[in-house]
Amino acid sequence: MLTELSIRNLAVIEQVHIRFKMGFHVLTGETGAGKSIIIDALSLIVGGRGSAELVRYGCDKAEIEALFELPAEHPVWSTLAGLGIAADPAEHLVIRREITAAGKSSSRINGQLVNLTMLRGAGDWLVNIHGQHEHQSLLKIDEHVHWLDLFGEAEIRGAKAAYHASYDAYVKLQKELRELQETSKQSLHMLDLYRFQIEELSSAALKPGEDETLSDEKRKLANAEKLYQNANDAYELLYGGNRALDTAGKALSRLQDIAALDPSRLQPLLEQAQSAYYQLEDAAFQLRDYRDDIEFNPLRLDEIEQRLDLLSSLRRKYGESIPDMLAYLEQILRETDLIENKDEHIRKLEDALRLEEQRLGAAAAELSALRRQVAERLAAAIETELRDLQMERTMFRVQLQRTADERGIEVEGSRVRFGRSGVDQVEFLMAPNPGEPLRGLSRIASGGELSRIMLAMKTIFARIDQIPVLVFDEVDTGVSGRAAQAIAEKLSVLSRSCQVFSITHLPQVACMADVHFAIHKEVDRERTYTRVTDLDEQGRIAELARMLGGVEVTETTLHHAGEMLNLARDKKSELQTQI
């Protein structure tokens, strides 16, 4: 849940710090008081777009900080780990967002800087904001398949993954075939160039790492005389006429004579001297062998220099390293083969495409069958929720259709158009009144009906997506009376499984809240300030009376407001027993 929200210098808010609880929260106030700014702050916290216009006039920056308390098994923790963000599930999750007056934005999760994409990745698991504009997504038929798949994710996940894999393979084969069929005269002209390059690279007989090996050998051959002279001098100094080893041997003999007289101190020195003597002797023998192996070969040096020159020339044309040149050779060998054996490759691709088309058709049919099962369950679930929202006689259906297309793939005996999401055209249909035919939402649904349909869907999906905070910005727009009461009750029930926030102008909704915040504006010294007040019992009665009676609050409206609160408490207790 969201436990705290701090806002500084955002629009007309100078500074606000709000503590939240679990349950149903409402925000009320006059139009223009700043209720939506609270929602804007939450949107920024979960990755919404910010701009300089949001910064309070005369301030350098706006700051928003949110504190979340989440269970260890919540998906956001694994999401954060995948993003490389250190976060301990045993502690709170802190998100901070700053927007400067210049329009620059910075974000931090638990103190770690993140970009907007990372913030959205985490925010998608934390807060779901439903505003009035989101009603319009119900009118976009292309969005309906997304809602259906989200509802039936557990059942269709495997079939959808299989379809996507086949679809990607099919599209890839189509692209390869199209590119090969479009091979032009230009490609035939390239063939001569490719053959020349293949000959040049193949005749070079490149070997990975040979340039480093040859450079080492060149260095030794070019410095053979210096290597020989110094190695020989070192050997002679150790083992020559005035051998250093003779002197060391005499010193070792003296130590051996006296070691027994003072063994505790001299014996370790003797052993150390013996070890040094043998190591020095071994080094002398190795120097002798190294000296004798030194090669004086001007012809070989010339060969190496010519080979290195060739490698340098090829490097300038075909790649910075031998592995790069060999990779280029493999590439032009494949392209040459495709050009020279174009017809054969086309036949193979066409055969592979036909086989993949059969797989894709079967995968599409399986996905469609599962979607039809899920569609029936989704329609039934939405109708159940709509009955609770005073739309008990509304018929709701999820229609799946396929558009015939002779160029498409064959699915269950007919060719249909297909895309990334499958071959199904999904559309939500409803009949608000008995005896009326089912029609698309865009043709018959009113604003109030769309609000309730969206609330019904949010209620259903809240049990699925594990998002802890749901925000409704005037979801009750266009409704009144018993329908408004039904929405209030639904929001109250929904708040038992997640934290619910609602901006509302309806007293029927406000009285059902567990926590009530009043938002109001003040003007002081020609500056506007927005205040947020956590209302107590008397404050709630006064605010409800204002919502009921407008500017003038009378004893009657106060009495009515008190009754509404009492009835709401009774209703919430009743609803609690039904959960």
Side-chain angles (χ1 to χ4, degrees), residues 227-493:
L227 289 170
Y228 181 89
Q229 187 60 52
N230 283 278
N232 183 67
D233 289 349
Y235 173 74
E236 289 297 329
L237 288 169
L238 289 173
Y239 223 79
N242 297 316
R243 297 191 307 173
L245 280 169
D246 281 346
T247 304
K250 292 174 181 178
L252 189 61
S253 177
R254 299 294 186 274
L255 276 174
Q256 287 173 334
D257 289 342
I258 62 174
L261 300 177
D262 189 359
S264 62
R265 296 187 64 184
L266 294 178
Q267 187 63 32
L269 289 173
L270 174 62
E271 293 173 0
Q272 187 176 355
Q274 287 175 329
S275 176
Y277 178 84
Y278 296 135
Q279 289 182 24
L280 201 58
E281 184 179 47
D282 183 60
F285 294 153
Q286 290 188 56
L287 276 169
R288 180 197 60 198
D289 295 339
Y290 178 81
R291 179 200 62 189
D292 295 343
D293 289 338
I294 290 174
E295 181 182 6
F296 295 89
N297 192 339
L299 292 177
R300 174 59 181 162
L301 180 59
D302 186 56
E303 289 176 3
I304 290 174
E305 288 176 339
Q306 290 183 33
R307 179 65 176 175
L308 288 173
D309 287 343
L310 173 63
L311 294 178
S312 177
S313 173
L314 294 175
R315 193 180 294 113
R316 286 193 296 271
K317 292 191 283 186
Y318 302 119
E320 295 183 359
S321 67
I322 290 178
D324 289 340
M325 291 187 277
L326 290 172
Y328 180 73
L329 176 59
E330 288 295 321
Q331 176 189 334
I332 59 177
L333 282 169
R334 286 194 301 269
E335 293 187 15
T336 300
D337 179 58
L338 284 175
I339 296 171
E340 291 178 337
N341 302 287
K342 174 182 172 181
D343 293 339
E344 181 183 351
H345 285 293
I346 286 177
R347 283 194 298 272
K348 287 181 179 179
L349 281 173
E350 288 174 339
D351 291 343
L353 195 61
R354 281 191 292 270
L355 182 61
E356 195 58 54
E357 185 176 291
Q358 294 173 4
R359 293 196 190 100
L360 186 57
E366 182 181 359
L367 180 58
S368 293
L370 291 172
R371 277 177 173 160
R372 291 182 188 282
Q373 296 174 18
V374 171
E376 292 181 6
R377 291 198 301 104
L378 177 58
I382 290 175
E383 285 185 350
T384 298
E385 296 296 333
L386 291 178
R387 282 196 290 273
D388 295 339
L389 293 167
Q390 297 299 295
M391 295 177 68
E392 61 276 353
R393 307 191 74 178
T394 297
M395 184 182 298
F396 191 95
R397 294 291 181 270
V398 181
Q399 175 182 270
L400 276 77
Q401 289 184 327
R402 298 169 182 165
T403 302
D405 187 342
E406 289 303 318
R407 294 171 299 176
I409 61 171
E410 185 174 311
V411 179
E412 297 176 336
S414 60
R415 286 195 169 270
V416 297
R417 187 180 306 147
F418 69 103
R420 176 71 181 170
S421 62
V423 297
D424 303 306
Q425 286 189 321
V426 179
E427 183 177 6
F428 296 157
L429 308 176
M430 67 175 287
N433 303 302
E436 294 182 357
L438 289 162
R439 292 177 181 164
L441 300 184
S442 60
R443 285 176 284 174
I444 57 172
S446 66
E449 287 169 336
L450 284 176
S451 294
R452 283 178 280 175
I453 293 170
M454 182 59 78
L455 179 55
M457 296 185 73
K458 291 290 184 180
T459 302
I460 292 167
F461 287 107
R463 306 168 192 146
I464 299 170
D465 56 25
Q466 301 183 61
I467 296 175
V469 180
L470 287 183
V471 180
F472 295 94
D473 187 0
E474 299 189 15
V475 70
D476 45 33
T477 298
V479 298
S480 59
R482 185 68 188 99
Q485 180 62 32
I487 286 178
E489 293 173 8
K490 182 60 65 177
L491 290 171
S492 179
V493 171

Side-chain angles (χ1 to χ4, degrees), residues 140-192:
K140 296 177 182 176
I141 297 175
D142 291 344
E143 297 285 333
H144 293 180
V145 68
H146 166 72
W147 289 97
L148 178 64
D149 288 357
L150 183 61
F151 179 75
E153 183 187 7
E155 295 96 323
I156 71 172
R157 185 188 300 119
K160 195 171 182 180
Y163 176 83
H164 283 163
S166 183
Y167 177 79
D168 291 343
Y170 183 77
V171 170
K172 182 174 181 290
L173 286 169
Q174 271 190 323
K175 181 175 181 289
E176 291 177 3
L177 180 59
R178 184 170 57 252
E179 289 176 351
L180 191 56
Q181 289 171 334
E182 292 173 356
T183 298
S184 61
K185 291 182 179 180
Q186 181 180 359
S187 298
L188 295 175
H189 291 319
M190 290 296 293
L191 188 59
D192 290 336

